[in-house]
Amino acid sequence: QVQLVESGGGLVQPGGSLRLSCAASGSILSLNKMGWYRQAPGKERELVAVKISGGDPDYADSVKGRFTISRGVAQNTVYLQMNSLKPEDTAVYYCNARLVVLGSGTYREFWGQGTLVTVSS
């Protein structure tokens, strides 16, 4: 019914930049939140950045000033611009969306498959 497809991960040197993209597709009636989470090896999944429709973005303290989340014109896409990357940013990054599937009437959370970001020299 609904798919979130991420792209843009890869290997980058410390201090470098990457831009992640995520597009939601399917029978979407309403979408009010999109964001990014990450999970490093041996750690729990954590919030990186989130953007609620009509609201200000929210960031994890560890990425403030370095990462920027933005929504696309079509509003079913979300981007994460990551600058000044550090080795501790290495993780699988997951796109998340809260939306209403056509015909369901209730908000549900959906996840992408994840994209690996590796920061290493």
Side-chain angles (χ1 to χ4, degrees), residues 12-67:
V12 64
Q13 291 186 341
S17 298
L18 279 177
R19 186 180 191 234
L20 304 183
S21 301
C22 174
S25 63
S27 303
I28 300 170
L29 177 62
S30 175
L31 190 157
N32 79 334
K33 185 193 82 169
M34 294 191 82
W36 292 93
Y37 290 70
R38 68 185 180 187
Q39 188 167 18
K43 295 187 177 181
E44 294 187 352
R45 190 174 297 188
E46 63 175 1
L47 173 71
V48 176
V50 64
K51 180 70 170 72
I52 296 175
S53 298
D56 292 329
D58 191 26
Y59 297 93
D61 288 343
S62 59
V63 307
K64 283 181 181 176
R66 301 188 297 123
F67 291 10

